[in-house]
Amino acid sequence: MNALADFVNTLRGRIRGEVRTDPMSRLLYSTDASNYQMTPLAVVIPHSTADVVDAMEASAYYGLPVLPRGAGTSLAGQAVNACVVIDTSKHLDAVLEVNAEERWARIQPGLIMDLFNREVAPLGVTYGPDPASGNRATMGGIIANNATGSHSIVYGMTVDHVLEVTAVLSDGSTATFGPTDERTWATKAKGNTLEAKIYRGGGASLTSTPT
Ligand SMILES: Cc1cc2nc3c(=O)[nH]c(=O)nc-3n(C[C@H](O)[C@H](O)[C@H](O)COP(=O)(O)OP(=O)(O)OC[C@H]3O[C@@H](n4cnc5c(N)ncnc54)[C@H](O)[C@@H]3O)c2cc1C
């Protein structure tokens, strides 16, 4: 069985987004802003969160490693690997909700930081940490790298501003992480889901393999 070919065929039949394996696309995604170059196995450009779920599920099923990617401005090779790259920057870039009074927003991960700030500026608010790459860098990459900028003494780092993250886990299940009291933690740690295993501290061991 060719796991990659089966993965590509399965996913193309399932998602609205793109599944690219052509040499040009793989070359384009083989570099980021670091010195490293690693050619991905395939590039998925999801159209929706449902596409991400399908891509994660299929990757787990066929035993293929995955790497989410934003703008690829990482300096230490975080955005390249010999894996399935999932690029959230093309379609998953919306500001979903802004509550300027309470100073929070719900956003999608592919949103570019400067565009986010431009959209909320008329409301008199801004996203504080300011990586110098903010005219390219996406909020997903900013959160994953815990980015900050020259005003870090004033605004702190990204981790100081993330209230909650809804994540698609490596088996395709979805979980929301945020401040959790002991009782909620204990409840979430029960059961056989990957989320529960993460709360028990053993999440990495649950990965499905192809049959
Ligand atoms: C000129 C230049 C200046 C820079 N200045 C700064 C600076 O001032 N401060 C600073 O902190 N950094 C800086 N950086 C580094 C980099 O720009 C930032 O760390 C930025 O946050 C990366 O964002 P990105 O969208 O390019 O992420 P990528 O490089 O695409 O990805 C970064 C990491 O995030 C993960 N990721 C991306 N999207 C998702 C997602 N949807 N879900 C889960 N994980 C995801 C990737 O797997 C990877 O591990 C600079 C880089 C350059 C080239």
Side-chain angles (χ1 to χ4, degrees), residues 32-34 66-75 77-80 86 88-89 92 108-111 130-134 136-150 157-158:
D32 54 13
S34 73
V66 292
L67 182 70
R69 176 168 164 136
T73 64
S74 282
L75 299 167
Q78 296 99 308
V80 293
I86 302 179
T88 60
S89 70
L92 297 177
Q108 289 187 312
L111 176 67
D130 53 349
S133 52
R136 299 281 186 286
T138 64
M139 294 307 295
I142 284 173
I143 291 171
N145 276 354
N146 192 20
T148 190
S150 57
M157 305 184 72
T158 294

